[in-house]
Amino acid sequence: MHGVDPDRDTVEFALLQAAAESGKPFLGICRGFQVVNVALGGTLYTHIQDQLPGAIEHDYDSDTQRQFLAHAIRLEKNSSLAGIMSEPELKVNSLHHQGAKDLAPSLKPVAYAPDGLVEGLELPGHPFGMAVQWHPEWLLDQPVTRRLFGAFVEAAGQV
């Protein structure tokens, strides 16, 4: 979906801010990654290919290539995300034309595409505040993806 929906943005930003402030677990996926960043004060590349020098392809056709492993991501060694995934590098799908330009001051980048674009972030000090730019829900055949959702469900069950 392209375009701006101000009502949707208002609701999602408020929900994210409430979850961040209250310590409720959240896991942003793709647009959710972007919502987390913008709602907490970050900015976006509105079209990566035009605005990020040396950008790799990130905008694969979502209808036909949801499970296509488009590129690798590198995880920060001491991040919560790396601890959950238990691997320093993953292959992920890529279905987005926007991405984090300036990360919100409260967020920590924890995963990167080969072109340097942030693909994973965390809210330090939060029980489970993270977001990923790829679509793990379409990669459930991968044990590493199931670990991410398992960790999120476990965190949500402790609230």
Side-chain angles (χ1 to χ4, degrees), residues 4-142:
V4 176
D5 182 340
D7 292 334
R8 179 180 178 182
D9 289 346
T10 298
V11 169
E12 290 180 354
F13 287 14
L15 289 170
L16 185 278
Q17 290 165 346
E21 291 169 9
S22 68
K24 300 273 191 235
F26 65 85
L27 174 61
I29 294 175
C30 196
R31 174 186 154 84
F33 170 99
Q34 297 164 11
V35 166
V36 170
N37 186 44
V38 174
L40 297 178
T43 64
L44 297 177
Y45 290 111
T46 55
H47 190 57
I48 297 165
Q49 290 297 123
D50 294 339
Q51 298 169 320
L52 177 64
I56 62 171
E57 179 67 36
H58 288 276
D59 190 14
Y60 287 85
D61 181 60
S62 62
D63 290 332
T64 60
Q65 297 179 309
R66 290 179 174 177
Q67 296 177 315
F68 174 66
L69 300 178
H71 61 78
I73 56 161
R74 178 184 51 82
L75 300 170
E76 287 292 333
K77 184 169 63 173
N78 295 317
S79 66
S80 296
L81 185 59
I84 292 166
M85 303 307 234
S86 301
E87 297 181 26
E89 188 173 292
L90 307 171
K91 293 282 279 184
V92 297
N93 53 10
S94 193
L95 306 158
H96 58 102
H97 72 100
Q98 296 182 320
K101 181 177 181 184
D102 300 305
L103 215 55
S106 60
L107 297 174
K108 177 181 172 187
V110 297
Y112 302 89
D115 58 9
L117 188 70
V118 176
E119 293 264 344
L121 55 81
E122 297 176 359
L123 181 59
H126 191 280
F128 195 102
M130 64 180 61
V132 296
Q133 185 61 78
W134 68 95
H135 280 273
E137 77 278 16
W138 290 331
L139 302 174
L140 293 176
D141 61 321
Q142 298 181 10

